[in-house]
Amino acid sequence: MTAIYQLGIAGIRSGIADGDFTAKEVAETFIARVRAAKPLNAFLVETPEHALAAAEATDKAKAAGEDLGKMAGVPIGMKDLFCTQGVETTAASGILKGFVPQYESTVSANLFKAGAGMLGKLNLDQFAMGSSNETSAFGNVISPWRRNDGGNADLTPGGSSGGSATVVSGRIAPAATGTDTGGSIRQPAAFTGITGFKPTYGRCSRWGTIAFASSLDQAGPMAHDVRDCAIMLESMAGFDAKDSTSLDLPVPDWEAALNSNLAGKKIGIPKEYRVENMPADIDALWQKGIEMLKDAGATIVDVSLPHTKYALPAYYIIAPAEASSNLSRYDGVRYGLRDLPDGAGLQDMYAATREAGFGDEVKRRIMIGTYVLSAGYYDAYYTQAQKVRTLIAQDFDKAWNSCDLLLTPTAPSAAFGLGEKSDDPLAMYLNDVFTVPSSLAGLPAMSVPAGLDGKGLPLGLQIIGKALDEQSVFNAGLAIEERAGFVAKPEQWW
Amino acid sequence: MSIDKETVKKIASLSRIAITEAEADAFVPELNQILGWVEQLGEVDTSKVEPMTAVIPNKLRLREDVVTDGEIREKILANAPIAEHGFFAVPKVIE
Amino acid sequence: MVKMTESTYRIQGGTGEWEVVIGLEVHAQITSESKLFSGASTEFGAEPNTQVSLVDAAMPGMLPVLNGECVRQAVRTGLAINAQINKYSRFDRKNYFYADLPQGYQISQLYHPIVGEGVIQISLDEKDPDAHGKAIGVERIHIEQDAGKLMHDQHPTMSYVDLNRCGVALMEIVSKPDMTSPKEAAAYVRKLRSILRYVGSCDGNMEQGSMRADVNVSVRKPGGELGTRTETKNVNSMRFIQAVIEYEAQRQVDLIEDGGVVVQETRLFDPDRNETRSMRSKEDAHDYRYFPDPDLLPLELEDDFIFDCKASLPELPDEKRARYKNVLGLSPYNAAVLTAEHETALWFEQLLETTDQPEKIASSAANWVTSELFGALNRLGVGIEDSPVSPAQAAELLGLVADGTISGKIAKQVFEIMLESGDGAKKIVEEQGLVQESDTGAIEKVIAEVMAANEDKVAQYRDGKDKLFGFFVGQTMKAMQGKANPQVVNELLKKILG
């Protein structure tokens, strides 16, 4: 029998159903894994009591013969961007240190309702701003993966959902929540050899999730495989009247409809994603992916998304602009840090508090956002970026005339070493080159692990679908998963 | 458009982020690099394009006018750095 | 038709006459149970921070959800001033930092307001509104959130923050700079308030802050280029609005004539000193970085929604005034006074509803309401909605006068008793024996007695001293304790005296 800690959501579900083990045993197993994983710095807060309580509830329900929820007995990691009632929530920032929400985010509440327990709150890039988890106020998250060069350099798990990626790939939690604004689920999933899914904008409620960029933020699952992502997303998603941008649509039964036969499906290969200096490993993987999808019955077509190169610059106007405003509420008045120098007035208190409470990358983005919205620059930057965003969305719409899905690499490189890019913001931003366009268009997209690079590090492929067509994305992901045979796991060195 | 130190200070002030002279100096090239890079958007002809409003077609829903919230002062004040007599307290503001 | 009249309000400066140009931005609290974007109550006067939701306190991850009633009331208000209703509007964030603004931005509408251009007719002469009317343009109406409240006098070194008001829905009604005197500005606010109260979109209560104005003032040589304006914020009474304009106009003229220039700035009115002063604390907040709120989608209105808003509007003051004048035959003054406040008009109409032929009693009823009733209410210090005498009771009283049961003079007496006792007019008249005497025989008998007692005066009258007629009327009425029908007394006296 496979060790419990090696199981994902579906495995735990069937093990509990078959009586192979209890939910409590599952919780205890992972609680011990969490305790042992401190060197990875993935958890900001541990909540074993929460995981145990949920497990006991599951065991009780099972004993009583009640129907179990989709996530019954699954102890998950919760990205610390989701506000959790009674559990400190900081978005990995200093400014929210000590903040204990008096409310539960819709996504975490949905998961708990489905029977999930919580192992703890996961480290991330501060306010989800970053691609390497190096902007956290509470230290870097370290990837369980190491290069096969024997150098033992600490690698990034990617970001911003770096803690989530680390715990799932290190089998410290069977699954974790992520959020994706420009690639924050998909890029870390690719870096750590797990599966990450960003649904259509509006599928998951944003209520109670600390906002980075409102028009882009979407929650999604990070898990072992496609099936686990489907199960978990079904539990996370759903209409929420408290979020005006929430989609008032039923949640499909994605898991039940999983089908890796892609006969009749056309897969577009966007030529603009063939960027300069792309590592040969990644190009080769992309080719492998094309072959796998062909093998699953799909037809491959070349498509063009002509405005792709403008997606990243547009994103780095829109996201900071929204963030600069979303983060204005952190002012030291009602919660979080207050820095009040001697004799300071209200406005001085704001400036001191925000200086002390925000990290460099957050400040940088607030500054950029403030600048592009300021008088005289608004049209040249913000309006132009939103117009370019329209063109990018139109590019996808046109592509859908000739295909059903798009296949691209998830990231332009494998995981890099901590510290390797942290001094060059622009180089860091380029990590999101493949994930940002679909974020700007609000489309569902996932990363599936498909192979290793020459240094033994995981690489992911990205599938992008039409709005609301998560099913086709899941199915194509499954087709790759079945064919890639990705079984590599990081060695447990911690 | 290139920004100078004065502009950096102005942005920091609008953002309510205290910065030192040295930090302001450091921000100048950094912000210029990023802004210079995003300015490539200017190449795109958008004269006949509407700015994006809703990324996925969706309509703004209207809420019914009923009182469903409030009377939770303890929760509202629970995380306050300073709360007194049911109020949040801030350094005295002179208007 | 409304005739445009030239304002004659001028500031006399050392270099000649100056004209004042005024625009008003009126913030009117939309009447609603819950807030614009949260389900917390809007009720006035609650304990601090008890009417605050997580959304109002801008807790992390909280999101706004729009209150449909606030949209409906803004559209109805727009329709009431014949304004364009924008079927597409958006909410924008106005970014600035202040302790009464938890989000760090106010959700407002800059780029696409819900209501476009409209018009408000004002009158400068209550006695004959049509003869001295003026049309004031409304630029736009948009919906926005109110801020919380700071209290500065509770603690020596700290200010206290109460967020109860935070997030309450406001309409900002922006006029064009069409007003040229303090009187016009006051007339505009009065009329706007009247319309809002008719529509029911705002209670117009200036004391509780339900209505307040930002007053934009500039001066220029008559007919010259527009001058630089100042904006005096949050002026919360009709009197203060006029005071601000007078003070600002004079200050600006003095400044310019002394060789200075007017600075475009935000100012604050100090009612104690009756002056305005510069608001330095908000000086750096001029770059508001407006952008569409990404937490909200564009607001798109259906034709049906607008149609229903229109259908729900009551008869508005201008239409009502015209009807009172043209159909009911009231004097311009009475028509204006009775329609200025919705409650007055409703009260008056309830009175008319007691009869099948309202035109017949309208004029006398209008006179009675504007003189007797208003006088009494004034003395008692209550509004018409709290009148101790109901419209039905008033109708009974006026009916007794109309059918000759009591005289007008007795009616006043009866009304006083009604006000005190709450009894009906008929009951009072019967119980106190106040029924008017119209029997010619009885009156003739008294006239004969009066003539007998005043033979000398009878002789003088008959010699041509006509003025003495009043004396005989008075004596007759006095002898009959005021209960004689004065018309009959007059007729009989004329006949008998010859």
Side-chain angles (χ1 to χ4, degrees):
Chain A
M1 202 181 85
T2 318
I4 289 176
Y5 80 90
Q6 293 286 7
L7 297 175
I9 296 169
I12 291 171
R13 182 177 63 184
S14 60
I16 290 174
D18 297 348
D20 296 343
F21 43 75
T22 62
K24 197 174 173 203
E25 289 173 72
V26 176
E28 283 167 347
T29 301
F30 283 104
I31 288 166
R33 296 285 293 171
V34 169
R35 273 195 200 119
K38 294 207 193 295
L40 303 181
N41 197 32
F43 281 93
L44 298 176
V45 181
E46 294 174 17
T47 55
E49 67 295 338
H50 190 288
L52 281 172
E56 277 160 20
T58 293
D59 288 336
K60 226 167 117 184
K62 183 172 181 277
E66 291 165 20
D67 284 343
L68 297 183
K70 289 176 200 283
M71 296 290 291
V74 181
I76 59 170
M78 190 70 68
K79 186 175 183 179
D80 199 28
L81 209 58
F82 297 93
C83 289
T84 42
Q85 187 156 12
V87 179
E88 185 184 13
T89 302
T90 63
S93 71
I95 207 154
L96 275 177
K97 198 160 165 24
F99 172 64
V100 180
Q102 306 294 305
Y103 50 95
E104 190 70 51
S105 81
T106 298
V107 162
S108 54
N110 286 348
L111 284 163
F112 298 154
K113 225 183 300 159
M118 178 168 70
L119 291 164
K121 304 296 295 287
L122 294 164
N123 204 344
L124 65 150
D125 275 304
Q126 189 166 149
F127 285 105
M129 297 177 192
S131 304
S132 64
N133 217 118
E134 290 168 289
T135 71
S136 167
F138 306 109
N140 300 337
V141 176
I142 297 162
S143 173
W145 291 86
R146 286 185 164 172
R147 292 180 181 125
N148 58 13
D149 57 8
N152 288 344
D154 283 342
L155 300 182
T156 173
S160 66
S161 311
S164 309
T166 280
V167 297
V168 176
S169 69
R171 301 305 189 241
I172 296 155
T177 54
T179 63
D180 192 314
T181 303
S184 281
I185 286 175
R186 292 161 287 165
Q187 182 256 24
F191 276 15
T192 56
I194 63 166
T195 308
F197 198 106
K198 179 196 93 75
T200 307
Y201 180 81
R203 277 280 193 207
C204 288
S205 168
R206 294 185 295 111
W207 194 89
T209 309
I210 294 177
F212 162 15
S214 310
S215 74
L216 295 150
D217 295 344
Q218 261 301 288
M222 298 175 75
H224 289 191
D225 54 26
V226 173
R227 179 172 300 272
D228 281 4
C229 280
I231 298 169
M232 189 165 167
L233 184 58
E234 283 173 25
S235 303
M236 297 169 75
F239 173 62
D240 182 3
K242 291 185 288 188
D243 174 358
S244 297
T245 60
S246 172
L247 294 169
D248 191 0
L249 295 170
V251 179
D253 194 345
W254 290 303
E255 188 201 3
L258 283 176
N259 179 354
S260 58
N261 182 348
L262 304 184
K265 289 283 179 194
K266 288 190 198 138
I267 313 286
I269 307 299
K271 67 175 186 201
E272 290 78 8
Y273 282 57
R274 218 167 281 282
V275 294
E276 278 173 57
N277 307 324
M278 186 147 80
D281 284 342
I282 287 177
D283 204 26
L285 185 81
W286 196 4
Q287 282 308 315
K288 248 176 69 187
I290 289 171
E291 296 309 319
M292 289 188 259
L293 292 177
K294 271 191 202 166
D295 183 57
T299 312
I300 304 297
V301 295
D302 286 328
V303 297
S304 173
L305 302 169
H307 296 91
T308 299
K309 78 174 253 209
Y310 300 109
L312 216 43
Y315 174 86
Y316 275 95
I317 289 171
I318 294 164
E322 292 182 8
S324 71
S325 175
N326 283 338
L327 271 60
S328 294
R329 64 188 56 197
Y330 307 109
D331 59 7
V333 174
R334 297 165 315 286
Y335 45 78
L337 182 75
R338 170 180 292 191
D339 190 346
L340 183 60
D342 276 350
L346 178 69
Q347 300 294 340
D348 302 324
M349 178 185 94
Y350 289 154
T353 298
R354 292 162 62 81
E355 193 281 321
F358 289 139
D360 289 346
E361 182 61 25
V362 173
K363 285 180 192 164
R364 193 177 290 125
R365 297 205 196 184
I366 290 174
M367 299 270 286
I368 291 169
T370 300
Y371 180 70
V372 299
L373 290 176
S374 64
Y377 300 104
Y378 174 76
D379 281 326
Y381 287 108
Y382 187 80
T383 306
Q384 177 72 356
Q386 289 289 19
K387 286 179 172 180
V388 169
R389 189 173 181 185
T390 299
L391 291 171
I392 287 162
Q394 286 171 358
D395 281 357
F396 282 107
D397 283 340
K398 282 177 202 150
W400 303 138
N401 291 329
S402 57
C403 66
D404 305 299
L405 294 161
L406 297 165
L407 179 73
T408 78
T410 306
S413 74
F416 44 88
L418 290 169
E420 278 176 20
K421 293 190 183 183
S422 49
D423 290 342
D424 185 353
L426 210 49
M428 192 66 93
Y429 297 170
L430 293 173
N431 259 289
D432 297 329
V433 63
F434 299 141
T435 48
V436 153
S438 46
S439 290
L440 287 172
L443 303 175
M446 84 186 298
S447 177
V448 283
L452 299 174
D453 73 352
K455 292 173 182 150
L457 295 182
L459 298 172
L461 286 174
Q462 175 179 231
I463 297 147
I464 302 167
K466 296 175 192 170
L468 306 178
D469 190 15
E470 280 82 1
Q471 190 69 59
S472 294
V473 178
F474 277 124
N475 288 349
L478 186 63
I480 291 176
E481 182 180 286
E482 286 172 357
R483 286 163 182 79
F486 186 89
V487 292
K489 289 189 186 72
E491 211 173 293
Q492 190 169 332
W493 52 262
W494 59 90
Chain B
M1 284 169 267
S2 167
I3 62 174
D4 55 20
K5 192 172 166 184
E6 278 315 299
T7 311
V8 166
K9 285 179 168 175
K10 198 187 131 215
I11 301 167
S13 159
L14 270 178
S15 307
R16 294 297 184 278
I17 296 174
I19 55 170
T20 61
E21 291 292 318
E23 284 167 331
D25 283 328
F27 265 125
V28 172
E30 208 171 86
L31 295 188
N32 272 319
Q33 191 199 10
I34 295 166
L35 290 168
W37 171 67
V38 298
E39 274 165 18
Q40 61 179 297
L41 288 186
E43 297 165 10
V44 186
D45 177 7
T46 54
S47 52
K48 293 188 181 75
V49 184
E50 286 298 316
M52 174 75 81
T53 50
V55 61
I56 301 296
N58 196 355
K59 272 211 147 99
L60 189 61
R61 290 175 293 271
L62 300 178
R63 199 185 83 234
E64 252 190 89
D65 182 30
V66 282
V67 175
T68 55
D69 213 335
E71 304 292 347
I72 48 165
R73 184 159 79 187
E74 279 182 25
K75 289 184 176 194
I76 296 296
L77 299 176
N79 283 284
I82 304 179
E84 287 182 6
H85 312 299
F87 297 95
F88 295 102
V90 296
K92 200 167 200 83
V93 179
I94 298 122
E95 277 185 334
Chain C
M1 273 308 291
V2 170
K3 273 186 282 176
M4 302 291 276
T5 52
E6 277 302 309
S7 164
T8 49
Y9 186 79
R10 293 282 189 275
I11 303 286
Q12 283 298 333
T15 60
E17 286 194 332
W18 294 81
E19 192 174 65
V20 186
V21 178
I22 305 150
L24 294 173
E25 294 165 21
V26 174
H27 299 260
Q29 178 179 336
I30 299 177
T31 302
S32 66
E33 297 293 320
S34 61
K35 294 183 179 178
L36 181 55
F37 293 111
S38 89
S41 169
T42 58
E43 212 176 308
F44 182 79
E47 286 292 299
N49 291 309
T50 54
Q51 292 179 353
V52 180
S53 75
L54 299 166
V55 176
D56 305 321
M59 290 290 162
M62 292 300 101
L63 299 170
V65 182
L66 182 59
N67 183 342
E69 177 65 10
C70 301
V71 173
R72 201 178 77 91
Q73 291 293 24
V75 170
R76 293 175 77 241
T77 305
L79 291 167
I81 59 161
N82 293 312
Q84 187 198 325
I85 304 302
N86 293 325
K87 289 166 76 176
Y88 177 99
S89 65
R90 283 218 68 165
F91 290 94
D92 301 301
R93 291 184 183 176
K94 177 183 185 179
N95 294 283
Y96 65 95
F97 288 88
Y98 205 59
D100 61 7
L101 188 75
Q103 293 169 137
Y105 53 84
Q106 176 196 35
I107 306 179
S108 180
Q109 296 186 304
L110 176 71
Y111 297 109
H112 299 281
I114 188 161
V115 176
E117 290 193 15
V119 162
I120 291 177
Q121 295 290 344
I122 63 165
S123 67
L124 298 171
D125 182 355
E126 199 183 25
K127 292 220 156 59
D128 190 2
D130 288 344
H132 301 280
K134 184 173 174 180
I136 305 297
V138 168
E139 184 78 42
R140 56 187 281 162
I141 301 177
H142 64 256
I143 308 173
E144 63 186 24
Q145 299 174 298
D146 203 353
K149 218 175 138 187
L150 289 187
M151 264 149 282
H152 307 298
D153 50 5
Q154 313 273 318
H155 189 282
T157 60
M158 286 192 286
S159 292
Y160 283 165
V161 187
D162 174 13
L163 299 179
N164 280 349
R165 278 198 76 87
C166 188
V168 166
L170 302 177
M171 283 181 280
E172 181 168 332
I173 302 145
V174 183
S175 85
K176 296 192 174 174
D178 286 351
M179 288 157 276
T180 51
S181 70
K183 206 178 152 195
E184 282 185 12
Y188 170 80
V189 175
R190 209 177 296 121
K191 185 61 176 286
L192 173 60
R193 182 173 176 276
S194 164
I195 293 170
L196 295 175
R197 288 169 57 85
Y198 264 75
V199 170
S201 56
C202 171
D203 67 18
N205 190 332
M206 296 186 94
E207 276 168 26
Q208 290 182 3
S210 299
M211 238 180 115
R212 48 197 201 259
D214 296 345
V215 185
N216 290 304
V217 177
S218 66
V219 296
R220 64 177 175 189
K221 285 291 171 81
E225 293 271 302
L226 275 177
T228 304
R229 66 186 167 85
T230 60
E231 180 180 21
T232 305
K233 290 269 190 197
N234 275 328
V235 187
N236 62 1
S237 87
M238 221 79 86
R239 195 160 56 83
F240 292 166
I241 290 171
Q242 299 188 70
V244 163
I245 296 166
E246 283 163 16
Y247 179 85
E248 262 306 286
Q250 190 64 55
R251 186 187 70 87
Q252 292 181 15
V253 166
D254 292 349
L255 189 64
I256 297 167
E257 291 193 334
D258 284 351
V261 282
V262 176
V263 185
Q264 187 169 341
E265 64 178 354
T266 305
R267 298 179 71 85
L268 197 70
F269 181 63
D270 182 340
D272 299 332
R273 298 182 178 184
N274 207 36
E275 62 179 33
T276 69
R277 59 170 186 269
S278 187
M279 270 175 90
R280 273 174 213 92
S281 61
K282 285 195 179 178
E283 277 298 89
D284 61 346
H286 285 312
D287 196 340
Y288 291 124
R289 290 156 285 132
Y290 281 98
F291 77 110
D293 191 325
D295 286 331
L296 294 161
L297 298 158
L299 173 60
E300 291 167 77
L301 302 177
E302 309 279 347
D303 287 330
D304 282 357
F305 180 89
I306 298 171
F307 181 85
D308 289 348
C309 286
K310 179 121 201 164
S312 74
L313 286 179
E315 185 181 36
L316 294 161
D318 287 339
E319 303 162 30
K320 206 181 266 296
R321 187 167 60 81
R323 182 169 64 84
Y324 282 12
K325 228 171 73 172
N326 303 332
V327 180
L328 297 178
L330 302 193
S331 67
Y333 173 77
N334 275 351
V337 170
L338 290 174
T339 55
E341 288 282 352
H342 199 201
E343 284 76 10
T344 311
L346 291 178
W347 204 97
F348 178 64
E349 286 175 19
Q350 279 172 28
L351 198 169
L352 295 191
E353 273 166 21
T354 58
T355 161
D356 294 338
Q357 291 170 296
E359 311 83 51
K360 272 195 156 172
I361 65 157
S363 276
S364 56
N367 284 330
W368 182 82
V369 170
T370 55
S371 54
E372 301 301 318
L373 181 65
F374 281 6
L377 296 176
N378 239 335
R379 277 200 320 272
L380 297 170
V382 296
I384 198 161
E385 60 279 9
D386 299 320
S387 166
V389 170
S390 73
Q393 285 177 315
E396 189 184 300
L397 175 66
L398 293 174
L400 292 176
V401 178
D403 69 10
T405 307
I406 55 171
S407 67
K409 200 172 165 197
I410 293 292
K412 287 182 200 223
Q413 233 176 292
V414 174
F415 180 51
E416 288 304 324
I417 300 168
M418 288 167 76
L419 286 170
E420 275 174 33
S421 67
D423 286 343
K426 268 190 186 138
K427 187 178 169 216
I428 295 167
V429 167
E430 275 165 22
E431 280 180 5
Q432 312 219 359
L434 297 172
V435 176
Q436 172 168 274
E437 185 59 78
S438 298
D439 177 63
T440 47
I443 297 173
E444 275 172 355
K445 195 172 150 246
V446 174
I447 290 176
E449 282 165 20
V450 169
M451 288 172 69
N454 298 284
E455 279 175 1
D456 52 337
K457 295 221 167 52
V458 174
Q460 288 172 11
Y461 179 79
R462 287 183 174 151
D463 280 348
K465 204 167 176 192
D466 290 350
K467 275 184 186 165
L468 280 172
F469 189 76
F471 167 77
F472 291 109
V473 174
Q475 289 298 307
T476 307
M477 295 298 283
K478 192 178 167 192
M480 296 191 75
Q481 289 153 326
K483 282 183 270 179
N485 182 329
Q487 218 175 331
V488 177
V489 170
N490 267 293
E491 278 166 19
L492 290 176
L493 271 173
K494 267 190 193 139
K495 203 173 79 189
I496 297 168
L497 285 169

